Amino acid sequence: MSTTFQLDTSTSRANPTPAPMKRLTVPAIRSRKQDGQTAEPIVMLTAYTARQAQLLDPHCDLLLVGDSLGQVIYGLPSSLPVTLDMMANHGAAVVRGSYHAVVLVDLPFGTYEASPEQAFASSSRLLKETGCAGVKLEGGEEMAATVSFLTRRGIPVMGHVGLTPQAVNVLGGYNARGRSEAEAAKIVSDARALAEAGAFAIVVEGVVEPIAVAVTEAVPCPVIGIGGSARCDGQVLVTEDMLGMFERVPRFVKRYEAIAEVISGAAERYAGEVRARTFPGIEQTYQPR
Ligand code: KIV
């Protein structure tokens, strides 16, 4: 699906939110960290649909179309089966629903690791088909050449180190990383390699807090934490986790709502009214004039 479709105010159920405005840029995000300091922390959330993007956009600097959509939207067991088609479709929806935030789309497993050329083909497709501003990819030193290749060809890249969910089969699970000295040193050197290769920002996920701080202090570009530290340059959460959509709550998630209860309560009341024939009522039916 192409991004050439725009939200149409005459047919959309929702008003554009906020009013169309100048979008933030990747250089603007990068320059929020100056001389190792970020005066205003960077706010990032995941988004997968146009309406969700509309609601989050006014509050966020970055919207990430994460490959977490595999589990969150599609009910898959991990992010590994996520395809480039899925990312392109959801990426285009999120760009359509947003006016303010920088939109980034995750490169899914198997679409970039083989070579810089493969990564360029996948990333350029995402930029063309969605209108997103850049991509995120997982991995450290081994991805540095790819980050440099993409960046020098006009594709901004956000790195992702620490717990990298696409490597779950190598890591053996989703446990916090950086508990041994060797692992901690590797995470910091991975982040340095990505920053030197041109990554404009780096996600550090699921690491013990001192490592999140060490990574933040080690690189000149912004570091966005998830299961990291409040001392990172910004934070990201999976929106559905933050909204309380799921029963399982990882330690690093704070629930700001209990949306699952809201949805299931509404469905229960609706079902009761349908069965009692009290819905639709007079207000919801068309009467002869
Ligand atoms: O896929 C995703 O949602 C992510 C974030 C958790 C950083 O990579």
Side-chain angles (χ1 to χ4, degrees):
M1 182 164 313
S2 151
T3 189
T4 52
F5 290 106
Q6 303 271 312
L7 280 180
D8 180 344
T9 48
S10 66
T11 58
S12 168
R13 280 177 162 79
N15 297 325
T17 318
M21 58 165 65
K22 202 160 182 275
R23 202 184 273 280
L24 281 171
T25 62
V26 164
I29 299 290
R30 167 64 191 83
S31 64
R32 291 270 279 274
K33 186 166 179 177
Q34 293 292 336
D35 303 322
Q37 301 299 320
T38 303
E40 189 191 349
I42 295 164
V43 180
M44 173 161 143
L45 281 171
T46 61
Y48 314 116
T49 67
R51 181 56 176 157
Q52 189 181 36
Q54 282 185 310
L55 296 173
L56 303 177
D57 186 53
H59 311 287
C60 292
D61 302 307
L62 289 158
L63 290 176
L64 172 68
V65 187
D67 61 353
S68 51
L69 64 74
Q71 292 108 309
V72 174
I73 302 289
Y74 288 92
L76 294 167
S78 73
S79 56
L80 299 192
V82 171
T83 65
L84 207 53
D85 282 346
M86 289 177 186
M87 300 310 297
N89 289 339
H90 288 273
V94 169
V95 171
R96 274 197 294 281
S98 60
Y99 290 100
H100 164 252
V102 170
V103 178
L104 300 177
V105 179
D106 260 346
L107 285 170
F109 178 66
T111 68
Y112 64 98
E113 303 89 331
S115 66
E117 289 78 5
Q118 185 201 29
F120 184 81
S122 301
S123 307
S124 58
R125 181 182 159 200
L126 289 175
L127 263 67
K128 278 176 196 286
E129 293 187 16
T130 71
C132 71
V135 297
K136 179 167 79 57
L137 54 77
E138 295 184 11
E141 275 165 327
E142 70 285 3
M143 295 312 302
T146 295
V147 170
S148 164
F149 190 91
L150 294 180
T151 306
R152 286 186 286 115
R153 285 161 181 77
I155 300 182
V157 181
M158 175 178 273
H160 185 155
V161 298
L163 172 58
T164 46
Q166 292 177 11
V168 62
N169 287 313
V170 173
L171 301 177
Y174 297 103
N175 294 334
R177 314 291 301 161
R179 291 201 186 275
S180 73
E181 259 180 46
E183 210 171 80
K186 169 87 173 89
I187 293 167
V188 175
S189 69
D190 278 343
R192 278 209 184 97
L194 294 173
E196 277 163 23
F200 78 90
I202 298 171
V203 165
V204 63
E205 174 167 359
V207 296
V208 292
E209 186 173 20
I211 304 310
V213 175
V215 168
T216 306
E217 288 173 352
V219 297
C221 66
V223 172
I224 315 288
I226 172 166
S229 169
R231 287 168 63 191
C232 291
D233 303 299
Q235 302 296 326
V236 58
L237 281 177
V238 170
T239 296
E240 280 75 358
D241 285 341
M242 179 278 273
L243 291 176
M245 187 70 158
F246 300 109
E247 287 77 20
R248 200 176 69 78
V249 188
R251 179 185 172 85
F252 58 82
V253 170
K254 179 169 176 186
R255 286 169 136 216
Y256 289 82
E257 255 309 334
I259 204 75
E261 283 86 336
V262 172
I263 293 173
S264 101
E268 188 182 1
R269 292 198 305 283
Y270 166 75
E273 292 188 9
V274 169
R275 292 185 180 117
R277 296 196 192 280
T278 56
F279 174 84
I282 192 84
E283 300 87 357
Q284 293 92 28
T285 46
Y286 298 99
Q287 303 298 324
R289 282 184 217 251

